[in-house]
């Protein structure tokens, strides 16, 4: 097969996958307020950002540290729900940042979504990411009313927007 | 596995790196540590790259 060896040294092979695969993972939604619109962003694009959580690591400390290192100091870091997915237990976090930290990170507006509702003793079969974000913002709306620290930390403009969300405390989504 | 060719690794988050083996391994370790709190060894990254990219060159003349 003349020439094949030379070609092989230059070829770009199919990419292989590299995934967060720990048994407990953090799923981070970085949000910010642009006028009256809540936007989703992140260092790798406006989608869920997954972090590996070690057996002795505190999830909130890991999320705060990684967000601080990669994006900048967050205003709020709150775990808002958990579910079973990706062969792991997923702890979802809403992280609020100042607009000044967004920089060149891509953002998309967050629309409203239906929640994934469980039955009395059975978790929902499918949980869309939109439902996780919706619940996260409902949880933030609850904190804004119930938690003095959160109420004091959220910049002006957030509370009127969150008022449109039905407040809900932390819950299992699956 | 040959280390004279180009290798590509793609993270599920969309990040991708292509280059010589050593660069891909180093970049993957750094991306995992900084962005995803992953501690991966060189051997672990090599195992992933090896699993996805065969030892023998593809037969491009077939």
């Amino acid at each position: 097969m003349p020439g094949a060896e030379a070609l092989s040294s230059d070829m770009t092979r199919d990419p292989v996958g590299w995934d967060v695969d720990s048994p407990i993972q953090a799923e981070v939604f970085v949000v910010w307020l642009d006028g009256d619109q809540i936007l989703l962003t992140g260092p790798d694009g406006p989608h869920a950002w997954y972090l590996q959580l070690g057996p002795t690591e505190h999830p909130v400390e890991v999320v705060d540290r990684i967000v601080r290192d990669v994006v900048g100091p967050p205003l709020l870091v709150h775990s808002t729900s958990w579910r079973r997915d990706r062969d792991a237990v997923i702890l979802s976090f809403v992280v609020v940042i100042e607009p000044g930290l967004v920089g060149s990170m891509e953002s998309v507006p967050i629309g409203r979504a239906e929640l994934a509702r469980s039955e009395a003793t059975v978790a929902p079969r499918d949980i869309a990411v939109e439902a996780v974000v919706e619940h996260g913002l409902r949880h933030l709306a609850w904190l804004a009313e119930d938690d003095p620290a959160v109420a004091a930390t959220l910049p002006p403009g957030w509370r009127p927007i969150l008022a449109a969300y039905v407040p809900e405390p932390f819950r299992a989504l699956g | 596995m040959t280390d004279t060719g180009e290798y590509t690794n793609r993270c599920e988050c969309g990040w991708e790196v292509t280059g010589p083996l050593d660069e891909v391994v180093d970049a993957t370790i750094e991306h995992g540590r900084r962005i995803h709190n992953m501690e991966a060894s060189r051997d672990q990254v090599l195992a992933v790259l090896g699993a996805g990219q065969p030892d023998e060159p593809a037969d491009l003349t077939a």
Side-chain angles (χ1 to χ4, degrees), chain A residues 1 7-9 11-20 44 47 49-52 57 62 65-66 70 86, chain B residues 2 4-13 28 34-38 40 45 48 52-53 57 59-61:
Chain A
M1 194 173 63
L7 279 172
S8 71
S9 66
M11 65 184 290
T12 297
R13 296 166 177 164
D14 289 338
V16 295
W18 186 251
D19 301 342
V20 172
D44 289 311
H47 47 70
W49 175 12
Y50 291 98
L51 308 181
Q52 194 138 315
E57 292 181 308
V62 170
R65 172 171 55 81
I66 297 292
V70 176
R86 299 162 52 91
Chain B
T2 173
T4 57
E6 294 276 293
Y7 285 76
T8 297
N9 197 6
R10 179 184 296 151
C11 181
E12 64 171 337
C13 71
T28 298
R34 182 167 183 268
I35 304 294
H36 299 294
N37 197 42
M38 297 170 72
V45 177
V48 171
Q53 297 171 115
D59 184 352
L60 301 178
T61 61

Side-chain angles (χ1 to χ4, degrees), chain A residues 34-107:
Chain A
D34 184 14
D36 60 357
Q37 178 68 62
I38 301 174
L39 291 102
L40 177 68
T41 189
D44 289 311
H47 47 70
W49 175 12
Y50 291 98
L51 308 181
Q52 194 138 315
L53 296 175
T56 62
E57 292 181 308
H58 193 294
V60 177
E61 289 175 0
V62 170
V63 173
D64 178 74
R65 172 171 55 81
I66 297 292
V67 170
R68 198 172 289 274
D69 287 350
V70 176
V71 176
L75 291 173
L76 283 175
V77 175
H78 266 278
S79 179
T80 56
S81 64
W82 70 272
R83 71 184 188 283
R84 185 132 195 111
D85 197 4
R86 299 162 52 91
D87 294 328
V89 172
I90 308 295
L91 304 178
S92 300
F93 286 81
V94 169
V95 172
V96 179
I97 63 169
E98 292 273 18
L101 293 182
V102 177
S104 61
M105 294 190 297
E106 186 183 349
S107 299

Side-chain angles (χ1 to χ4, degrees), chain A residues 86-146:
Chain A
R86 299 162 52 91
D87 294 328
V89 172
I90 308 295
L91 304 178
S92 300
F93 286 81
V94 169
V95 172
V96 179
I97 63 169
E98 292 273 18
L101 293 182
V102 177
S104 61
M105 294 190 297
E106 186 183 349
S107 299
V108 294
I110 297 174
R112 301 303 303 268
E114 292 291 326
L115 287 182
R117 294 291 183 184
S118 58
E119 297 174 30
T121 58
V122 180
R125 287 175 186 270
D126 298 305
I127 303 170
V129 168
E130 291 80 6
V132 179
V133 176
E134 172 75 19
H135 180 263
L137 292 176
R138 292 188 187 197
H139 183 81
L140 197 57
W142 175 71
L143 289 172
E145 298 299 322
D146 190 71

